[in-house]
Amino acid sequence: MKEINIGLCGLGTVGTGVVKILKNHQDEIMYKLGSQIAIKKVLVHDIHKQRDVVVDQEWLTNDPEELVSNPDIDVIVEVMGGIEDTNLLMEQALRNNKHIVTANKDLMAVHGQKLLRLAKANNCDIYYDASVAGGIPILRTLSDGLASDRIQKIMGIVNGTTNYILTKMTDDKLAFDDVLKEAQELGFAEADPTSDVEGLDAARKMTLLANLAFKMEISLDDVETSGIRDISQEDISFATSLGYTIKLIGIASINNGKVEVSVEPTLLPQDHPLALVKNEYNAVYVYGEAVGETMFYGPGAGSMPTATAVVSDLMEVIKNIRLGISGNAYVSPQYEKLLKENKEKYTKYFIRMAVEDEAGTFQKITNVFSDEKVSFAKILQLPGSEKETAEIVMVTHQISKQQLINSLEHLKGLSVVNRIISYYRVDGEE
Amino acid sequence: MKEINIGLCGLGTVGTGVVKILKNHQDEIMYKLGSQIAIKKVLVHDIHKQRDVVVDQEWLTNDPEELVSNPDIDVIVEVMGGIEDTNLLMEQALRNNKHIVTANKDLMAVHGQKLLRLAKANNCDIYYDASVAGGIPILRTLSDGLASDRIQKIMGIVNGTTNYILTKMTDDKLAFDDVLKEAQELGFAEADPTSDVEGLDAARKMTLLANLAFKMEISLDDVETSGIRDISQEDISFATSLGYTIKLIGIASINNGKVEVSVEPTLLPQDHPLALVKNEYNAVYVYGEAVGETMFYGPGAGSMPTATAVVSDLMEVIKNIRLGISGNAYVSPQYEKLLKENKEKYTKYFIRMAVEDEAGTFQKITNVFSDEKVSFAKILQLPGSEKETAEIVMVTHQISKQQLINSLEHLKGLSVVNRIISYYRVDGEE
């Protein structure tokens, strides 16, 4: 029985985890695969550095050629990170007919479609489940499920840092800046948290999920993205009193062949399964035509969960090699990209505004909405922070994004409306 | 490329769903498998009955021999139910080297280990993911994960009927009997609900999960099972006021090679992910050594979710045929069965008792517990339903089941204790 040889790019915490798992689970892997896996080469910066895992000195190299152009190597396992240089290396590996397993979401979000096409042209696989949600095998589950079901909607909490921050802001009533500082101290947030808190990291993951689920080539630019920096304690407190929890939710949905992908702060009913996903945990909620609602919950990151996902992907790649179906795993885009227009995007909205506390204010505001055919499920009015002002909080019924935009535009023109304080999507209700 | 021929036993709602999926997803299946799937024979009672799916009249037969002894058939898909007759038929199929996909948990819980051994001896697969939690691919996920991780604990809501009843009792404050009647009218509970409400159905599923997770031959008799019939509105109301939700939870855990499997009403913190699994939904929470906490949520039953799971299993079986690793999928028991004794089963308990409202009562009770080295996290005392009586509700810290049994025994001997009203496991807290 053929032994499968791998080249491991990177020996940080994830790479070390991969080496440990392959060593400790040899028997189980042989049993499940009918093949042994052997590490042939490991790409590192410093071949003399002390390692906290036993690696054969013979394996170590700082020359990528010894991996990507090595005729003995079948699969490249990329756990070193980086975008442009790594992309060139992976392209070279694919041209040399190496399969790839990667945990690198930045690489896949930027160059994924090109790499997947190149892989297919060379009958190679790229597996990247570890890049999306660490310990949750979501790409595999979607991909397996897709063979016998059609996905209509995905809602995901796919960024641990922002979920941690929102959890602390909600449960401990702390301000955004204070929680961010704490998260940075605990290592849950990076020194430059922009990519997380602005929603970019989540948008990258939603791109990968949407491409797979809808078989369209959706790019990062197609994802409407807004982050959590402007969410205030007042927003959270109003949301809570109306029975909602605010989460940063990635949404990908399809209706009549048209797709919408977004990442934005979203109010969910407190008894929605995603509302209880706390701290740094991730979860992905999937609505399939046949199966209905399913949810997958787990650690979104961490070196051992990620290493476990990498090894699972590696095993799938090896199965495909032996089945002779390499390059078929992820269905390449089959449909022309069709994005929903604003008038086709339907959801509910939470809208909060500061108004003059004078006779007729409420009527002027409701006239605007009724002109746009917007109706409401919930309305709160209460004294504003300044004298002779009030605050109005409303939750609409299902309306189009265009109706929202038009209504907000008209409201801003009313003299009795001092300011639109905030507005958020409301989802997950009947 | 070889076409794979299947024999379908049963053409009820699930069987019809399987036929539909195979027809509607031909291209995706070919793409994912590199093989076509053809239905060769369908076993039905009445070959002339009108069907709501187009089946070739040639396929239909009421003679099982045409399936299980048919040299052209590779895989038997069993979706007809039944235990003893079905078991004999499946044994015959395995002896004739047919692989099996089944959605029949009763069959697998009773005869599963024997069938799996027979399958292995004939290098055949039995896949039965559809039997455990309908739309949740939990066996596959455990089995894939096991190749690179070790499972320490599983907690599952694996019976939709009891979860529906408990949800209604909690949210709508209805009595057990009233909700049961409603559930029966809605088709969520059977006319004879014994197997569901006594926990037997859940125990069968936990047996299947525990066997797979711990690679031991655990039988239904090893599962300590208690149902939900005695849960009162007062229990639910005390649990709620202490911050808990009562669920019927199946638990399978391993410590130092010793296993505990149980199904019993359990109090979970209201912010535990399983606490929000409502109505007829199922969910399985898994703690893996490397991955940490993951949860899989979805419909526990229903004909389309089950049919989708059957087709997914069928695709795995076909992959294995082509890989030449049939019979390896589910690891057969590798370890001797070792069950935890009561003194090795650790958890917290909720205990509720009716006592005399007189001086010294509380001290006598706490003396009993302190003799058994049982300490408490929460204590409530309040007036009882009768004059000069009181009710005490306590939540212990972690204690052994033996400590619980000893304490309850001693409490019953105290004249100031009128009755132990109820006691439940408390789990899911730090």
Side-chain angles (χ1 to χ4, degrees):
Chain A
M1 202 151 311
K2 190 177 178 308
E3 198 176 62
I4 300 288
N5 293 322
I6 70 164
L8 180 64
C9 298
L11 195 56
T13 54
V14 175
T16 303
V18 169
V19 174
K20 281 184 189 161
I21 292 171
L22 291 180
K23 197 188 292 264
N24 295 340
H25 293 265
Q26 277 181 10
D27 293 348
E28 289 94 334
I29 290 169
M30 178 68 204
Y31 199 79
K32 297 278 295 180
L33 280 184
S35 303
Q36 288 287 9
I37 301 175
I39 297 172
K40 211 76 190 175
K41 283 288 169 191
V42 181
L43 180 64
V44 292
H45 281 295
D46 176 2
I47 61 173
H48 300 295
K49 187 177 156 188
Q50 195 70 30
R51 310 280 168 185
D52 75 340
V53 64
V54 184
V55 289
D56 196 325
Q57 196 63 33
E58 288 281 291
W59 295 350
L60 299 178
T61 177
N62 48 26
D63 176 10
E65 287 297 319
E66 289 192 36
L67 286 83
V68 298
S69 301
N70 186 333
D72 290 341
I73 285 179
D74 306 291
V75 186
I76 297 288
V77 175
E78 187 274 301
V79 289
M80 63 185 182
I83 300 185
E84 296 310 329
D85 289 351
T86 307
N87 176 48
L88 292 177
L89 215 55
M90 293 305 112
E91 285 186 352
Q92 198 185 335
L94 290 170
R95 281 196 209 94
N96 291 330
N97 297 100
K98 317 270 173 244
H99 308 276
I100 293 175
V101 173
T102 176
N104 189 333
K105 67 175 169 296
D106 300 342
L107 172 70
M108 289 307 291
V110 177
H111 296 293
Q113 289 298 330
K114 219 165 45 175
L115 287 171
L116 285 165
R117 274 198 298 272
L118 183 59
K120 204 171 192 66
N122 288 280
N123 295 316
C124 286
D125 273 330
I126 303 182
Y127 270 61
Y128 53 102
D129 221 327
S131 73
V132 176
I136 311 175
I138 185 65
L139 293 183
R140 178 150 347 120
T141 306
L142 283 185
S143 174
D144 284 353
L146 275 169
S148 51
D149 198 359
R150 287 193 182 91
I151 289 164
Q152 297 169 311
K153 187 174 182 182
I154 298 173
M155 289 173 67
I157 294 175
V158 290
N159 179 272
T161 305
T162 46
N163 201 49
Y164 178 86
I165 293 173
L166 288 176
T167 303
K168 292 291 168 194
M169 286 177 72
T170 305
D171 290 356
D172 302 345
K173 304 203 181 345
L174 299 172
F176 173 83
D177 290 324
D178 297 335
V179 187
L180 176 59
K181 213 175 133 206
E182 185 196 315
Q184 284 168 327
E185 284 162 10
L186 288 169
F188 289 141
E190 303 194 34
D192 176 3
T194 312
S195 151
D196 289 320
V197 303
E198 303 293 344
L200 180 63
D201 176 81
R204 284 180 178 145
K205 292 167 179 167
M206 291 309 297
T207 308
L208 298 178
L209 288 172
N211 275 322
L212 180 63
F214 305 134
K215 302 174 194 170
M216 282 181 201
E217 195 158 332
I218 293 149
S219 72
L220 198 51
D221 294 339
D222 300 323
V223 185
E224 283 199 56
T225 305
S226 58
I228 66 165
R229 215 184 266 278
D230 297 330
I231 298 174
S232 66
Q233 265 308 321
E234 290 72 36
D235 289 334
I236 290 175
S237 141
F238 281 120
T240 304
S241 66
L242 290 168
Y244 298 107
T245 300
I246 303 189
K247 294 286 186 186
L248 184 67
I249 299 288
I251 289 176
S253 70
I254 190 164
N255 299 84
N256 303 319
K258 287 190 165 187
V259 163
E260 168 185 10
V261 188
S262 67
V263 170
E264 57 187 303
T266 300
L267 276 64
L268 300 173
Q270 279 156 3
D271 63 354
H272 190 280
L274 285 173
L276 268 198
V277 177
K278 295 205 168 190
N279 299 319
E280 73 280 15
Y281 276 85
N282 284 14
V284 181
Y285 209 71
V286 181
Y287 299 75
E289 200 175 281
V291 167
E293 302 172 24
T294 52
M295 185 177 88
F296 306 89
Y297 166 100
S303 55
M304 282 315 284
T306 304
T308 307
V310 165
V311 173
S312 294
D313 272 357
L314 178 59
M315 291 177 65
E316 290 301 305
V317 167
I318 293 170
K319 276 192 191 177
N320 292 343
I321 293 174
R322 299 200 49 229
L323 283 169
I325 56 167
S326 299
N328 286 4
Y330 292 116
V331 177
S332 49
Q334 294 181 326
Y335 303 108
E336 192 196 349
K337 180 172 76 181
L338 288 173
L339 298 174
K340 286 185 208 171
E341 295 172 48
N342 282 339
K343 65 176 193 233
E344 297 167 309
K345 296 178 185 168
Y346 273 83
T347 189
K348 300 176 188 178
Y349 289 95
F350 165 102
I351 304 166
R352 191 177 147 218
M353 61 191 108
V355 301
E356 294 296 323
D357 189 10
E358 59 183 51
T361 294
F362 199 76
Q363 198 192 350
K364 282 174 190 159
I365 290 169
T366 51
N367 281 347
V368 166
F369 284 114
S370 109
D371 286 349
E372 291 295 333
K373 301 191 170 51
V374 173
S375 63
F376 292 91
K378 295 172 183 172
I379 299 177
L380 271 184
Q381 173 161 355
L382 57 179
S385 49
E386 283 160 55
K387 230 182 139 185
E388 289 176 11
T389 67
E391 228 176 277
I392 296 181
V393 178
M394 303 169 136
V395 176
T396 72
H397 287 301
Q398 293 275 350
I399 60 170
S400 74
K401 184 152 193 177
Q402 194 58 53
Q403 284 174 287
L404 173 79
I405 291 169
N406 294 349
S407 305
L408 294 179
E409 200 51 49
H410 290 160
L411 286 172
K412 283 177 194 158
L414 290 185
S415 61
V416 295
V417 173
N418 298 332
R419 193 160 65 94
I420 308 292
I421 302 174
S422 57
Y423 58 92
Y424 300 111
R425 183 181 183 118
V426 178
D427 212 317
E429 288 182 310
E430 290 305 296
Chain B
M1 203 151 308
K2 189 178 176 312
E3 197 176 63
I4 301 287
N5 293 323
I6 70 164
L8 181 64
C9 298
L11 194 55
T13 54
V14 175
T16 303
V18 169
V19 174
K20 280 185 190 160
I21 292 170
L22 291 180
K23 196 188 293 264
N24 296 340
H25 294 265
Q26 277 181 10
D27 293 350
E28 290 94 334
I29 289 169
M30 177 70 205
Y31 199 79
K32 298 278 295 180
L33 279 184
S35 302
Q36 288 287 9
I37 302 175
I39 297 173
K40 212 73 191 174
K41 284 287 167 191
V42 181
L43 180 63
V44 292
H45 281 295
D46 176 2
I47 61 173
H48 301 294
K49 188 178 155 188
Q50 195 69 30
R51 311 280 169 186
D52 75 338
V53 63
V54 183
V55 289
D56 198 324
Q57 196 64 32
E58 290 280 290
W59 296 349
L60 298 178
T61 176
N62 48 26
D63 177 10
E65 286 298 319
E66 289 192 35
L67 286 82
V68 297
S69 301
N70 186 334
D72 291 341
I73 285 179
D74 305 291
V75 186
I76 297 288
V77 175
E78 188 275 300
V79 289
M80 63 185 181
I83 300 186
E84 296 309 330
D85 290 351
T86 308
N87 176 50
L88 293 176
L89 214 55
M90 294 304 111
E91 286 186 352
Q92 198 185 336
L94 291 170
R95 282 199 208 91
N96 291 330
N97 297 99
K98 318 267 172 246
H99 308 276
I100 292 175
V101 173
T102 176
N104 189 332
K105 69 176 169 295
D106 301 342
L107 172 71
M108 290 306 291
V110 178
H111 297 293
Q113 289 298 330
K114 218 164 44 155
L115 286 171
L116 286 165
R117 275 197 298 273
L118 183 59
K120 204 171 192 69
N122 289 279
N123 295 317
C124 287
D125 274 330
I126 303 182
Y127 270 61
Y128 54 102
D129 221 328
S131 73
V132 177
I136 312 176
I138 185 64
L139 294 183
R140 178 149 348 118
T141 307
L142 284 184
S143 175
D144 284 353
L146 275 169
S148 51
D149 197 359
R150 286 192 184 90
I151 289 164
Q152 298 168 313
K153 187 174 182 182
I154 298 174
M155 289 171 69
I157 294 175
V158 290
N159 178 272
T161 305
T162 46
N163 200 51
Y164 177 85
I165 293 173
L166 289 176
T167 302
K168 292 290 168 193
M169 285 177 73
T170 305
D171 290 357
D172 302 345
K173 304 205 182 344
L174 299 173
F176 173 84
D177 290 324
D178 296 335
V179 187
L180 176 60
K181 212 176 133 205
E182 185 196 316
Q184 285 169 325
E185 284 162 11
L186 288 169
F188 289 143
E190 304 193 32
D192 176 2
T194 312
S195 151
D196 289 320
V197 302
E198 302 294 342
L200 180 63
D201 176 82
R204 285 181 178 145
K205 291 167 179 167
M206 291 309 298
T207 309
L208 299 178
L209 288 172
N211 276 321
L212 180 63
F214 306 133
K215 302 175 195 169
M216 281 181 203
E217 195 157 334
I218 293 150
S219 70
L220 197 51
D221 294 339
D222 300 323
V223 185
E224 282 199 58
T225 305
S226 57
I228 65 164
R229 215 183 266 278
D230 297 330
I231 299 173
S232 66
Q233 265 307 322
E234 291 72 36
D235 290 334
I236 290 175
S237 140
F238 282 120
T240 304
S241 67
L242 290 167
Y244 298 107
T245 300
I246 303 189
K247 293 286 188 187
L248 184 69
I249 299 287
I251 289 177
S253 69
I254 190 163
N255 300 84
N256 304 318
K258 286 189 165 187
V259 163
E260 169 186 8
V261 188
S262 66
V263 170
E264 56 188 304
T266 300
L267 275 65
L268 300 173
Q270 279 157 1
D271 63 355
H272 190 279
L274 285 173
L276 268 199
V277 176
K278 295 204 168 191
N279 299 318
E280 73 279 16
Y281 275 86
N282 283 15
V284 181
Y285 209 71
V286 181
Y287 300 74
E289 200 175 280
V291 167
E293 302 173 24
T294 52
M295 186 176 88
F296 306 89
Y297 166 101
S303 55
M304 281 316 283
T306 304
T308 308
V310 165
V311 173
S312 295
D313 272 358
L314 178 59
M315 291 176 67
E316 290 301 305
V317 167
I318 293 170
K319 275 193 193 176
N320 292 342
I321 294 173
R322 300 200 47 230
L323 282 169
I325 56 168
S326 299
N328 285 4
Y330 291 116
V331 177
S332 49
Q334 294 181 326
Y335 303 108
E336 192 195 346
K337 181 173 78 183
L338 288 174
L339 298 173
K340 286 186 208 170
E341 295 172 48
N342 281 338
K343 65 177 195 237
E344 297 166 308
K345 297 178 186 170
Y346 273 82
T347 189
K348 301 177 187 177
Y349 288 96
F350 164 102
I351 304 166
R352 189 177 149 220
M353 61 192 109
V355 301
E356 294 296 322
D357 190 11
E358 58 183 50
T361 295
F362 200 75
Q363 198 192 349
K364 284 174 190 159
I365 290 169
T366 51
N367 281 346
V368 166
F369 284 114
S370 110
D371 286 350
E372 291 293 334
K373 301 192 168 52
V374 174
S375 62
F376 292 91
K378 295 171 184 175
I379 299 178
L380 271 185
Q381 174 162 354
L382 57 178
S385 49
E386 282 160 57
K387 229 181 138 187
E388 290 178 11
T389 67
E391 228 176 277
I392 297 181
V393 178
M394 302 170 136
V395 177
T396 71
H397 287 299
Q398 293 274 350
I399 60 170
S400 73
K401 184 151 193 178
Q402 195 59 54
Q403 283 173 287
L404 174 78
I405 291 169
N406 294 348
S407 305
L408 294 181
E409 199 52 49
H410 290 160
L411 287 172
K412 283 176 194 160
L414 290 184
S415 62
V416 295
V417 173
N418 298 332
R419 193 160 67 93
I420 308 291
I421 302 173
S422 57
Y423 58 94
Y424 300 111
R425 182 181 183 119
V426 177
D427 212 317
E429 288 181 311
E430 291 304 294

